């Protein structure tokens, strides 16, 4: 069974900026550029019918599209660093989207993630990297920032068991509405009708 999570995709220009951060850190296993993403909510290994329930519930998320800026770098694991990441500028729209998805998952009985949501894009997994090497890597790249980019959808992704960092597959995607347009009225499909009638 694939491992599921909701995420935001990183557009090409921002991914290219992130790719310039690769290298210069012993023990780092760098994430492939096409696998960069920002995890919104980890779901885990679930049965097919649960995945369908999640997808059906996510159909009801109606949020505006918004801009994001990646900025700064950091590491997880102080004494024993295990990953380096790029950070995200504070975004009320991102926090609202993540909060709504988290509440949907909790209502469906998906165990809560014990870690507080901290938006980031993982750049590398670390193996036996010394804290000093990590600190030097981070200090040399502390002023990293991308140009703002538009988030037009969120996705349900799956990952197969592999050695870190992908491959990730987009299983389903949900558009975020453009802010200048009135909310699009959804046309109920047959599947919507059957869901409502249950």
């Amino acid at each position: 069974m694939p491992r599921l999570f909701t995420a935001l995709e990183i557009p090409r220009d921002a991914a290219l900026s992130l790719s310039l951060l690769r290298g210069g850190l012993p023990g780092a296993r760098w994430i492939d550029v096409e696998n960069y993403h920002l995890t919104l909510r980890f779901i885990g290994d679930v049965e097919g019918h649960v995945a369908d329930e999640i997808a059906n519930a996510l159909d009801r998320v109606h949020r505006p599209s918004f801009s994001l800026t990646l900025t700064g770098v950091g590491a997880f694991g102080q004494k024993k660093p295990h990953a380096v990441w790029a950070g995200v500028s504070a975004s009320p729209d991102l926090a609202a989207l993540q909060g709504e998805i988290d509440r949907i998952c909790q209502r469906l009985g998906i165990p809560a993630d014990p870690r507080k949501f901290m938006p980031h894009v993982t750049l590398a997994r670390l193996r036996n990297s010394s804290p000093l090497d990590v600190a030097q890597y981070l200090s040399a790249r502390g002023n990293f920032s991308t140009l703002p980019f538009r988030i037009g959808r969120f996705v349900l992704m799956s990952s197969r068991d592999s050695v870190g960092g992908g491959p990730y597959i987009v299983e389903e995607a949900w558009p975020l509405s453009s802010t200048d347009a009135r909310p699009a009225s959804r046309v109920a499909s047959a599947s919507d009708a059957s869901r409502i009638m249950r």
Side-chain angles (χ1 to χ4, degrees):
M1 193 72 222
R3 185 161 294 146
L4 296 177
F5 56 96
T6 57
L8 300 178
E9 299 155 296
I10 304 300
R12 204 168 67 88
D13 287 354
L16 286 172
S17 296
L18 289 171
S19 72
L20 300 176
L21 297 171
R22 293 162 65 102
L25 181 54
R29 201 172 58 245
W30 299 97
I31 304 294
D32 291 334
V33 175
E34 62 271 16
N35 286 321
Y36 290 147
H37 65 275
L38 189 160
T39 299
L40 293 171
R41 175 60 152 83
F42 181 73
I43 295 166
D45 302 317
V46 294
E47 295 299 324
H49 70 280
V50 177
D52 289 342
E53 279 181 46
I54 293 164
N56 288 344
L58 292 174
D59 282 346
R60 294 191 284 276
V61 174
H62 297 289
R63 294 266 166 196
S65 65
F66 56 93
S67 284
L68 268 192
T69 304
L70 302 179
T71 181
V73 290
F76 290 127
Q78 297 299 306
K79 293 187 171 69
K80 197 166 187 287
H82 55 84
V84 292
W85 45 262
V88 179
S89 289
S91 164
D93 289 312
L94 171 62
L97 174 62
Q98 191 278 333
E100 184 172 354
I101 292 171
D102 189 45
R103 287 188 296 278
I104 286 169
C105 289
Q106 287 185 16
R107 278 199 301 273
L108 292 173
I110 309 296
D113 192 330
R115 296 163 298 195
K116 182 178 181 292
F117 176 62
M118 200 206 97
H120 67 279
V121 177
T122 301
L123 301 173
R125 312 242 182 258
L126 305 180
R127 201 172 180 159
N128 302 324
S129 297
S130 82
L132 181 61
D133 285 342
V134 172
Q136 287 173 340
Y137 169 87
L138 296 177
S139 67
R141 290 156 183 83
N143 62 355
F144 168 77
S145 188
T146 64
L147 291 170
F149 54 89
R150 200 101 199 121
I151 298 294
R153 70 182 197 169
F154 70 96
V155 298
L156 183 65
M157 282 186 157
S158 66
S159 67
R160 306 283 182 249
D161 271 345
S162 68
V163 184
Y168 299 115
I169 296 158
V170 173
E171 300 290 348
E172 201 157 334
W174 291 269
L176 300 171
S177 61
S178 58
T179 44
D180 52 350
R182 288 188 303 280
S185 61
R186 281 175 40 104
V187 177
S189 67
S191 65
D192 287 336
S194 70
R195 278 187 236 160
I196 294 163
M197 291 161 67
R198 266 189 240 150

